[in-house]
Amino acid sequence: MKFKYIYIITLIFNIIGCKNAVQKTIPINKELVIKEVENMFADYHGDIKKQGLTAEFDYLDNSKDFFWVPPNYNSALTYDSVKNILIANDKLISKIQLSFDTLKVFPLTDSLASYSGIVKGKMVDTLNTVTKFKIIESGTLVKRYDGWKLLNGQSRNLD
């Protein structure tokens, strides 16, 4: 009988302890994270406009955790696969301009955030053909020592 009471008391303390552990969260400076991510995307799009698609390398997280599902793909690609696609496509594009039509940033911690938005773009290829497009995109960003990086995500062409 004595062990039954000890068990019940231990169980109660564990429940109370777990409840308190869940309620204690680290405060996030959401406004700062949102501003930093918005600035990162502005720089990202500005660098692509100036330097082409290979400027994206500065904004992709070159780690084993990186993956991306680009438009018209049915599975996630690794960093190296995305890099190869960007290098190949960069040779076909003479000008590209991107900007967010809508962007919503969801801070998870001070160094991790998810986002969702619609990117509008205008591209001119080497044959001088102009293509306008919109892409819906969502993903996760991680803050590294050299700034915010795209860790993973997916994008899809919109009509």
Side-chain angles (χ1 to χ4, degrees), residues 97 119-124 129-135 157-159:
Q97 185 174 343
V119 178
K120 60 182 178 180
K122 181 179 176 184
M123 179 177 62
V124 180
T129 303
V130 177
T131 305
K132 292 182 180 183
F133 56 90
K134 281 191 175 183
I135 296 173
N157 290 321
L158 296 175
D159 294 331

Side-chain angles (χ1 to χ4, degrees), residues 27-90:
I28 303 169
N29 189 340
K30 290 184 178 187
E31 293 79 21
L32 179 62
V33 171
I34 291 168
K35 191 67 176 163
E36 287 178 351
V37 168
E38 289 172 344
N39 288 339
M40 182 277 295
F41 276 124
D43 292 344
Y44 175 52
H45 291 154
D47 287 349
I48 290 171
K49 183 178 180 181
K50 292 177 201 167
Q51 302 165 28
L53 291 178
T54 56
E56 286 195 48
F57 301 149
D58 290 339
Y59 300 91
L60 303 180
D61 186 56
N62 185 1
S63 74
K64 290 185 270 183
D65 296 325
F66 175 88
F67 70 85
W68 198 265
V69 182
N72 303 319
Y73 280 77
N74 295 323
S75 62
L77 303 180
T78 65
Y79 176 87
D80 289 335
S81 295
V82 170
K83 182 177 178 180
N84 291 335
I85 291 168
L86 290 172
I87 290 169
N89 285 329
D90 189 58

Side-chain angles (χ1 to χ4, degrees), residues 2-19:
K2 181 178 177 183
F3 290 111
K4 184 177 177 182
Y5 291 118
I6 293 173
Y7 175 77
I8 292 171
I9 291 170
T10 303
L11 184 62
I12 291 170
F13 280 123
N14 284 335
I15 292 170
I16 292 169
C18 289
K19 182 180 176 189

